[in-house]
Amino acid sequence: MQISSAALLKTSSAATTPPTLAERYRAVRRTSMALAAPLTAEDAMVQSMPEASPAKWHLAHTTWFFEQFVLGRQPGYQPLQPQWRALFNSYYQSIGPAHARAQRGLLSRPALSQVLEYRAQVDDRVGQCLRAGTRDGEAQRHLELGLQHEQQHQELLLTDIKHALWSSPLQPAYRDDLSVPPTAPASDAALWIESPERIVEIGALAWPAHAHFAYDNESPRHRVLVPAHALAARPLSNAEYRAFIDDGGYRDPLLWMSDGWAQLQAGQWRRPLYWDEALEREYTLGGWRALDPDAPVCHLSWFEADACARWAGARLPTEFEWEAAASARPPAGNFADAGLLHPKAAPVAGPGVPRQLFGDVWEWTSSAYGAYPGFRPLPGSAGEYNGKFMCGQFVLRGGSCATPAGHVRASYRNFFPPAARWQFGGLRLARDI
């Protein structure tokens, strides 16, 4: 796509003042283009499973979002491509029909070049609005929401293309220049951090009433009684998960939820997604690599994470236990901007210090994705963003090596169905005390 992905993904450490909304808009939009740059037009059209989307669709849909929710607020605005309105809508039924998600890979037209031109045209018009200093508060809020939305799709673009390339008989690398994550000394598998019973503040203050952005599903902030418990100091490693496999974890129905056992049998699961049969290599965005025994295990479904925790004599943490541990810590870690695009082992830290709460792998929790007490979705069509999915899904916390830096926080709630494996999902053990 004639863009240097490595160059565009580097962030400036010299910035001393917060970027303006216009600067952030340009940076986020350029990052999406950088992530798509290594792909051919043929790569960008592939949809390897119904849950994933083609890279071309991600590029178009995020642009559609700005046109629909920002430019569309202008009096008399006419869409650039009215016939694309349904093609690149995702699930906003209050706006109109949407092309079926499972059939996005059939959209050979519009061509990738047309989608890129569409992005350029929308960027130009949004730039004009920003330079004019629009005072439309609703448009500004939707612009902020659109930036956060595009960052989510940046991660999805990576996870979706990883599955697509792995599904190819050639199994090519997304990028040949990705560094191999550094190794670290093995850490104490028995290191636990105990926490007494306490009442904690959970969630974020509602945006946009509060200045700091948070999705509506993170609010309202409220108090929760968290029982006494212990959390593992780090996520579960590849070596520890292999011990679960070697001990017959995928053959023991007593470890699995009924739906999980049925999924295991139907999908013939025997190991994490992207591991080879010998349990020695894994497919990464940089191609096939030797499995690092000390790196966090990833690409697990909730069913696998839950079964492994049970095998270990532990359990998955609640999202409140996780947030209580993370709330006092900055959201820093191995995110997409680090350039590895794969989890790495963490060096041993001092006693009582949790490691890798942010970045590397999303951590499955035992918490079903539901509304907080007093939850209110965003007004209008944007209210379809989160609330309507509060059924049949589980919460993940912390971000991953494919998440943009600065996008997550302690209160951030990701969610996926329990059978989802193609995201960078791992686990941290918890236990009662």
Side-chain angles (χ1 to χ4, degrees), residues 124-160:
D124 181 64
R125 296 190 181 200
V126 171
Q128 292 178 30
C129 292
L130 289 168
R131 287 191 294 274
T134 177
R135 297 184 179 181
D136 184 342
E138 191 67 17
Q140 290 182 341
R141 289 190 287 272
H142 279 105
L143 188 60
E144 178 64 49
L145 182 62
L147 294 177
Q148 302 290 333
H149 166 259
E150 182 145 351
Q151 287 186 305
Q152 287 183 315
H153 278 270
Q154 289 168 1
E155 178 161 8
L156 289 170
L157 189 153
L158 288 171
T159 56
D160 292 357

Side-chain angles (χ1 to χ4, degrees), residues 131-384:
R131 287 191 294 274
T134 177
R135 297 184 179 181
D136 184 342
E138 191 67 17
Q140 290 182 341
R141 289 190 287 272
H142 279 105
L143 188 60
E144 178 64 49
L145 182 62
L147 294 177
Q148 302 290 333
H149 166 259
E150 182 145 351
Q151 287 186 305
Q152 287 183 315
H153 278 270
Q154 289 168 1
E155 178 161 8
L156 289 170
L157 189 153
L158 288 171
T159 56
D160 292 357
I161 198 61
K162 180 176 182 178
H163 190 270
L165 296 176
W166 171 79
S167 299
S168 165
L170 298 179
Q171 296 184 318
Y174 158 71
R175 278 176 49 193
D176 293 318
D177 61 340
L178 291 175
S179 300
V180 176
T183 58
S187 54
D188 184 358
L191 188 59
W192 293 86
I193 300 174
E194 296 188 351
S195 178
E197 178 178 283
R198 54 186 173 135
I199 294 175
V200 298
E201 291 277 336
I202 294 295
L205 297 173
W207 176 86
H210 184 70
H212 294 290
F213 179 85
Y215 287 111
D216 55 7
N217 66 359
E218 299 174 52
S219 65
R221 190 161 173 82
H222 61 290
R223 298 195 306 165
V224 173
L225 175 63
V226 176
H229 66 281
L231 283 181
R234 55 166 175 77
L236 198 78
S237 70
N238 285 321
E240 290 162 337
Y241 195 82
R242 176 164 181 174
F244 164 69
I245 299 173
D246 292 342
D247 197 42
Y250 281 85
R251 301 190 302 271
D252 186 353
L254 298 179
L255 297 173
W256 295 77
M257 291 293 181
S258 177
D259 286 349
W261 185 250
Q263 185 71 52
L264 177 155
Q265 293 178 308
Q268 299 184 348
W269 293 353
R270 299 293 181 269
R271 55 194 178 276
L273 188 67
Y274 304 131
W275 283 25
D276 70 356
E277 292 187 12
L279 311 183
E280 296 176 349
R281 297 188 307 152
E282 63 180 326
Y283 180 80
T284 75
L285 286 163
W288 283 98
R289 292 177 176 171
L291 202 66
D292 181 353
D294 297 312
V297 63
C298 64
H299 294 296
L300 300 179
S301 66
W302 181 90
F303 290 130
E304 291 166 293
D306 176 70
C308 182
R310 191 172 290 109
W311 166 83
R315 59 174 174 80
L316 297 179
T318 68
E319 63 171 316
F320 307 127
E321 290 168 342
W322 188 96
E323 185 171 333
S327 59
R329 304 183 184 282
N334 175 26
F335 292 112
D337 309 61
L340 299 176
L341 302 184
H342 198 70
K344 67 175 182 179
V348 177
V353 179
R355 302 189 292 283
Q356 295 173 294
L357 284 165
F358 295 99
D360 288 295
V361 294
W362 287 101
E363 298 181 16
W364 284 107
T365 73
S366 63
S367 298
Y369 176 54
Y372 286 163
F375 166 73
R376 295 291 184 273
L378 291 172
S381 297
E384 295 190 66

Side-chain angles (χ1 to χ4, degrees), residues 5-23:
S5 57
L8 288 183
L9 287 174
K10 290 191 178 297
T11 57
S12 172
S13 59
T16 56
T17 58
T20 65
L21 188 59
E23 290 170 337

